[in-house]
Amino acid sequence: MPQDPSPAEHPSAERRPAERRVTVTGPPRRTRRPSVPYRPRTEIDEQTTLGHTYVRSLMRSQLRAALLVFAVLVLLVGPLPLLFATLRHDGGLKWAVLGFGLYAPLVLLARWYVRRAERNERDFVRLVEDR
């Protein structure tokens, strides 16, 4: 029985290049979703529509508080000229109205507004913070 010639002795070994393994690359058939949790802060940083909606909700709540304070301020300060017109000769009463009747409500109004604005911001941060 004749023996097979070794690859070096094979007549076609000189003509045929060494077989190479070919790797085919391409997009994967299945894509997995990244396991990154949803972060609203990313939406805000990337200025997406949803991020814009988050910021707009904060701005609306701040504007609502500011308009309420402005309306109360107009109601407090607006009637003062009419009140002072009726108190023509009593300067001491005018100062009492300005000092006690107006100053105390203005301080209370300012404190309410600052607390409301801080609460709005705290709620917004709680909404978009990373957990």
Side-chain angles (χ1 to χ4, degrees), residues 13-91:
E14 296 172 15
R15 287 182 264 150
R16 203 169 16 148
E19 290 187 29
R20 300 175 105 192
R21 188 173 180 120
V22 178
T23 305
V24 178
T25 59
R29 291 183 184 179
R30 286 185 178 180
T31 58
R32 286 187 173 180
R33 286 187 156 186
S35 62
V36 177
Y38 171 72
R39 292 189 174 119
R41 185 175 290 182
T42 306
E43 299 287 339
I44 295 169
D45 292 340
E46 293 177 0
Q47 297 180 352
T48 63
T49 304
L50 183 59
H52 179 70
T53 304
Y54 282 131
V55 173
R56 191 170 177 188
S57 71
L58 172 66
M59 290 173 58
R60 279 186 179 176
S61 61
Q62 298 289 50
L63 179 64
R64 207 174 306 124
L67 289 176
L68 183 63
V69 167
F70 181 71
V72 171
L73 184 64
V74 166
L75 291 175
L76 280 174
V77 176
L80 285 179
L82 294 175
L83 179 65
F84 291 157
T86 60
L87 302 173
R88 290 185 187 172
H89 301 291
D90 195 3

